[in-house]
């Protein structure tokens, strides 16, 4: 029996596989379509303080090897999430899977200011299990300070991480954007200000144009690229971050099969998240979990955590 458990910066996961934020709803949407017992955690869609409508339609378009989306972080706001969605998750998943312990929730958060992030983190901390970790999406505009994304200025990122750290006792994962010239100062801003883990990668800025109408396809004009085509970008980002930072890494980006997850673990990931693949094959995360166990078995590895950073160079 392979030991699949991992510790992601204080979050105890029974397997190294979770779902990527925004691709698994609020945790109940795939009940009956996948085996929750194989999920080390469920990561839910981004939550901010107030309800948020998201972007104009259309919000996603398929491209070669992936998807460009501009959902615009639609969500019910932290109060509705904390008082209704979490209870619904526990009840629905526990009933459907007859599980004693539902997978812990990693709650992805965002906001328009440092203060908003801290407020949302504080409210989520009061909820208790299954809310067991916070993942900060820093790829959204800092409305209060000029509109650039939080994750694209190490000084702003440092302030954000410090404020959220002070607001929560939960494991704090900071989800970085891949489109920076060097990941090191961003990873350092996280480590130096109390983050427990990094998440890599968010979507890559992208755009699709309809040549007949000569208009952008997405209502928001631009969006973020995800899916198979971003996988090698994720591997490189994780490899760089693992070499330059001591923080454990939750990796995502084009995980469709176990071999994609194992690649990310060898590059330095402690755990992996399945995103876009879930839209076409809902049971992908569960299958990835089985495939990691099978790989460990075949290679005489007793515990999946031994794969982390085990790249031969
Ligand atoms: C439709 C959609 C919605 C997403 N929503 C969020 C979100 O709310 N917060 C966030 O941090 N990332 C969000 N992401 C990014 C994913 O969590 C993930 O980082 C990215 O898609 C790369 O993984 P993948 O290639 O396996 O999809 C979203 C991605 C997609 C495709």
């Amino acid at each position: 029996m392979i030991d699949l458990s991992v510790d992601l910066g204080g979050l105890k996961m029974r397997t190294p596989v979770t779902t990527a934020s925004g691709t698994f709803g609020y945790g109940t949407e795939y009940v009956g379509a996948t085996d929750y017992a194989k999920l080390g955690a469920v990561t839910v869609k981004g939550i901010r303080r107030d309800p948020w409508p998201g972007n104009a339609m259309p919000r996603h378009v398929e491209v070669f090897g992936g998807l460009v989306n501009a959902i615009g972080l639609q969500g019910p706001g932290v109060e509705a999430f904390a008082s209704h969605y979490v209870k619904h998750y526990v009840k629905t998943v526990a009933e459907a899977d007859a599980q004693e312990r539902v997978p812990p929730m990693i709650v992805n958060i965002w906001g328009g200011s440092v203060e908003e992030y801290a407020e949302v983190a504080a409210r989520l901390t009061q909820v208790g299990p299954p809310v067991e970790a916070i993942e900060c999406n820093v790829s959204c505009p800092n409305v209060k300070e000029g509109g650039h994304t939080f994750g694209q200025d190490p000084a702003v990122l440092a302030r954000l991480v410090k404020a959220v750290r002070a607001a929560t006792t939960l494991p704090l994962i900071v989800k970085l954007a891949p489109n920076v010239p060097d990941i090191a100062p961003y990873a350092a801003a996280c480590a130096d200000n109390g983050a427990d883990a990094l998440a890599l990668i968010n979507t890559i800025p992208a755009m699709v144009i309809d040549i007949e109408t000569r208009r952008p396809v997405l209502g928001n004009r631009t969006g973020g690229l995800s899916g198979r085509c971003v996988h090698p970008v994720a591997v490189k980002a994780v490899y760089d971050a693992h070499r330059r930072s001591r923080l454990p890494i939750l990796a995502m980006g084009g995980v469709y099969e176990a071999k994609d997850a194992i690649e990310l673990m060898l590059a330095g990931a402690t755990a992996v998240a399945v995103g876009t693949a879930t839209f076409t094959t809902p049971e992908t995360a569960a299958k990835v979990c089985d495939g990691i166990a099978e790989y460990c078995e075949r290679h005489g590895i007793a515990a999946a955590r031994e794969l982390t950073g085990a790249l031969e160079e």
Side-chain angles (χ1 to χ4, degrees), residues 133-246:
I134 286 180
E135 181 185 67
C136 270
N137 172 7
V138 298
S139 303
C140 61
N142 180 357
V143 181
K144 251 192 169 177
E145 293 175 76
H148 296 296
T149 64
F150 293 93
Q152 245 139 13
D153 178 339
V156 175
L157 183 62
R159 277 212 304 285
L160 176 72
V161 175
K162 195 172 184 181
V164 178
R165 176 71 292 161
T168 186
T169 47
L170 292 172
L172 173 58
I173 306 163
V174 184
K175 183 166 178 181
L176 298 176
N179 51 316
V180 294
D182 178 10
I183 209 89
Y186 300 90
C190 296
D192 296 348
N193 289 283
D196 298 302
L198 301 174
L200 286 159
I201 59 174
N202 214 317
T203 55
I204 303 171
M207 184 175 188
V208 180
I209 294 171
D210 179 334
I211 59 165
E212 299 306 323
T213 62
R214 301 189 185 188
R215 290 177 189 279
V217 171
L218 294 170
N220 187 55
R221 295 194 178 85
T222 63
L225 181 65
S226 64
R228 268 196 200 281
C229 58
V230 308
H231 181 64
V233 178
V235 175
K236 163 80 162 63
V238 170
Y239 173 72
D240 286 346
H242 182 65
R243 284 200 308 173
R244 311 286 291 277
S245 171
R246 58 174 173 77

Side-chain angles (χ1 to χ4, degrees), residues 26 44 47 76-86 105 107 124 131:
Y26 299 100
V44 298
I47 294 286
V78 73
E79 203 41 62
F81 176 77
S83 44
H84 302 300
Y85 285 63
V86 177
M105 255 190 188
V107 183
L124 290 170
V131 172

